[in-house]
Amino acid sequence: MIALFASVIYLVLFLFLKQTMDKLHSIIVVIAFFIFFQFIIREQLIPLWQRLAVIFNSVPYSKGLLFTALLFLMNELICQLLEQYEYDAFATLVTLSIRMTAVLYWINLLQPKFQVLIQLLERLQ
């Protein structure tokens, strides 16, 4: 509910800023986006992630799936902001970086399982 109220206040402030200081509007919007983004992550996403981690604790790799979902959510939000300001190439780099982070995370997480699988396959030969 706080996020909804803050969104309405941000909207009113942004409209006021756009009418009064059009040149500074985009800079202030980006700063406010990251402040609000940090607030949402700290107040809503992290507690939700912690609660889901407790609920799905017995499910294998559930924390990895939640981490990956959080990464892709952050990627989507940041890329939409960059594309709105016509920084499509930079948005592509952010997407590539997030995907590489997810792949490296999963490789590190699954590497012991791959080692066991390779050992089993070597025994079958």
Side-chain angles (χ1 to χ4, degrees):
M1 192 65 177
I2 293 172
L4 180 63
F5 183 69
S7 299
V8 171
I9 290 180
Y10 270 127
L11 177 65
V12 171
L13 287 174
F14 292 154
L15 291 173
F16 177 71
L17 283 171
K18 190 166 187 156
Q19 295 298 321
T20 57
M21 297 181 281
D22 193 39
K23 292 183 179 182
L24 291 177
H25 177 258
S26 60
I27 294 170
I28 294 171
V29 166
V30 170
I31 291 169
F33 171 81
F34 282 107
I35 290 171
F36 192 59
F37 184 58
Q38 177 269 138
F39 171 76
I40 294 294
I41 287 174
R42 188 172 33 96
E43 296 295 324
Q44 293 180 337
L45 282 179
I46 290 176
L48 175 66
W49 188 84
Q50 290 171 340
R51 182 174 283 170
L52 289 174
V54 169
I55 291 171
F56 296 111
N57 192 26
S58 63
V59 177
Y61 306 112
S62 62
K63 288 185 182 180
L65 291 172
L66 290 171
F67 175 72
T68 305
L70 182 64
L71 273 178
F72 285 128
L73 175 67
M74 291 170 38
N75 175 53
E76 187 67 28
L77 292 172
I78 292 172
C79 285
Q80 282 183 3
L81 178 70
L82 290 170
E83 289 169 358
Q84 180 181 356
Y85 288 104
E86 298 175 357
Y87 293 113
D88 295 332
F90 195 63
T92 303
L93 288 176
V94 170
T95 300
L96 178 65
S97 172
I98 294 292
R99 287 179 182 171
M100 292 302 296
T101 301
V103 167
L104 289 173
Y105 174 80
W106 280 102
I107 286 173
N108 289 335
L109 190 65
L110 296 174
Q111 185 177 6
K113 306 298 182 194
F114 286 139
Q115 294 294 336
V116 171
L117 179 64
I118 289 171
Q119 289 174 354
L120 287 174
L121 290 175
E122 287 175 350
R123 288 182 189 169
L124 289 176
Q125 289 181 351

